[in-house]
Amino acid sequence: MQIVLISGLSGSGKSVALKLLEDLGYFCIDNLPAALLAETVELLQSEAHKRVGISVDIRGVHSLPALPDCVTDLKARQLDVRVLFLEAKNEALLKRFSETRRKHPLSVLYPELTVTECMIMERELLATVAGMAHRVDTSDLSANGLRGWVRHWLALDQSRLTLIFESFGFKHGLPLDADFVFDVRCLPNPYYDPSLRGQTGRDLPVVRFLEAEPAALHMYADIRDYLQRWLPAFDHDNRSYVTVAIGCTGGQHRSVWLAEKLAAHFAAERQVLVRHREGSTE
């Protein structure tokens, strides 16, 4: 049985991810208390379900502390358990709550708290869950982009460490899901060439521009060698994912080029995913 556990912050896109699983043929359960997880899995196994998607989040706040031990027990039974944690910046979450006119789930228990205070409390309560999951920052992801990212994630071999290269623009803020952040704003910027301004770091003219710059090639070599040296330590630590974020000013040219170049290098020996935060993931 493959079990996909979806958790994360309220308003971060959990319902979009769970609906995708349902569309892909998973048997899905929303808002399951963590204390019932083991019992529910046993029942679903007896009914011969092969792929299951379960949402466990702050709505079951009282049983959340039981979740890490439940996941450990399920994995010990040789089940394919994958945990996805969706999060977003407070500004993005506030905008979504405003657009949908929904209350924060914690406001039912704590009516005296503002939405922002509820979000702060939620982050604290879910910190342990986030630490055991693959985290995705959905602040700048469309629903379609999130669906594409989840599809790619489901296709991964969970027994191997996945190296994720994520480009982003500093003017839009740091990504929440990064393990390493490299700043490449010091490199020559193709944006100032009018013929390149509308292109991205995946387009050949931009690639040629940057690969003609010694500083860009030195930056690439330094980051490549740094990761090559330290990734084995993450293998020994039994990590499932390492996210390397590459940032330039707008997240369109330099960071995209470097993320693609690093991904191409490491794909020869590792499981690699690429995400360009300021553009489509598909």
Side-chain angles (χ1 to χ4, degrees), residues 155-202:
L156 296 175
D157 177 357
Q158 297 292 303
S159 66
R160 300 172 58 199
L161 182 142
T162 301
L163 187 55
I164 301 167
F165 291 100
E166 178 178 10
S167 70
F168 73 96
F170 274 97
K171 71 178 183 180
H172 301 296
L174 288 168
L176 298 174
D177 49 5
D179 296 300
F180 294 99
V181 176
F182 294 98
D183 183 348
V184 300
R185 288 175 291 183
C186 59
L187 300 180
N189 193 350
Y191 177 85
Y192 295 110
D193 183 331
S195 68
L196 302 178
R197 184 169 299 171
Q199 300 188 50
T200 76
R202 291 201 271 185

Side-chain angles (χ1 to χ4, degrees), residues 57-74:
D57 54 42
I58 202 65
R59 291 170 291 175
V61 61
H62 298 299
S63 65
L64 267 178
L67 185 60
D69 287 340
C70 289
V71 171
T72 300
D73 291 344
L74 292 175

Side-chain angles (χ1 to χ4, degrees), residues 49-278:
H49 290 285
K50 298 299 183 185
R51 298 193 301 172
V52 176
I54 299 175
S55 173
V56 181
D57 54 42
I58 202 65
R59 291 170 291 175
V61 61
H62 298 299
S63 65
L64 267 178
L67 185 60
D69 287 340
C70 289
V71 171
T72 300
D73 291 344
L74 292 175
K75 288 183 176 180
R77 290 161 50 186
Q78 304 303 311
L79 295 173
D80 179 3
V81 183
R82 310 180 181 206
V83 187
L84 180 66
F85 188 90
L86 304 181
E87 57 191 329
K89 298 183 179 69
N90 283 356
E91 313 88 78
L93 295 174
L94 283 169
K95 182 179 179 182
R96 293 171 191 174
F97 276 112
S98 176
E99 289 173 346
T100 60
R101 298 185 180 180
R102 293 174 56 201
K103 291 184 177 181
H104 193 284
L106 284 178
S107 66
V108 177
L109 296 174
Y110 306 98
E112 73 281 5
L113 297 182
T114 65
V115 175
T116 300
E117 290 169 335
C118 285
M119 290 191 297
I120 293 171
M121 179 181 288
E122 184 178 29
R123 287 187 193 277
E124 294 173 353
L125 292 170
L126 290 173
T128 303
V129 180
M132 61 186 291
H134 172 47
R135 297 165 53 208
V136 176
D137 180 358
T138 69
S139 303
D140 302 289
L141 271 181
S142 64
N144 195 47
L146 175 57
R147 283 190 286 267
W149 185 250
V150 174
R151 282 178 184 271
H152 295 319
W153 176 71
L154 288 172
L156 296 175
D157 177 357
Q158 297 292 303
S159 66
R160 300 172 58 199
L161 182 142
T162 301
L163 187 55
I164 301 167
F165 291 100
E166 178 178 10
S167 70
F168 73 96
F170 274 97
K171 71 178 183 180
H172 301 296
L174 288 168
L176 298 174
D177 49 5
D179 296 300
F180 294 99
V181 176
F182 294 98
D183 183 348
V184 300
R185 288 175 291 183
C186 59
L187 300 180
N189 193 350
Y191 177 85
Y192 295 110
D193 183 331
S195 68
L196 302 178
R197 184 169 299 171
Q199 300 188 50
T200 76
R202 291 201 271 185
D203 292 316
L204 187 57
V206 175
V207 172
R208 287 173 174 164
F209 174 93
L210 288 167
E211 295 199 346
E213 295 288 344
L217 295 177
H218 289 159
M219 178 73 80
Y220 159 72
D222 284 346
I223 297 175
R224 178 200 64 203
D225 293 346
Y226 176 86
L227 294 173
Q228 203 86 52
R229 181 176 300 113
W230 287 105
L231 281 175
F234 288 91
D235 290 323
H236 296 150
D237 196 37
N238 295 316
R239 285 282 294 273
S240 297
Y241 309 96
V242 172
T243 299
V244 179
I246 311 291
C248 60
T249 304
Q252 180 181 345
H253 297 104
R254 294 165 290 181
S255 61
V256 171
W257 166 76
L258 191 49
E260 291 281 348
K261 191 171 180 65
L262 288 165
H265 171 79
F266 283 97
E269 58 190 59
R270 290 186 173 272
Q271 187 166 238
V272 169
L273 281 180
V274 183
R275 175 186 170 197
H276 301 301
R277 193 186 73 175
E278 317 308 348

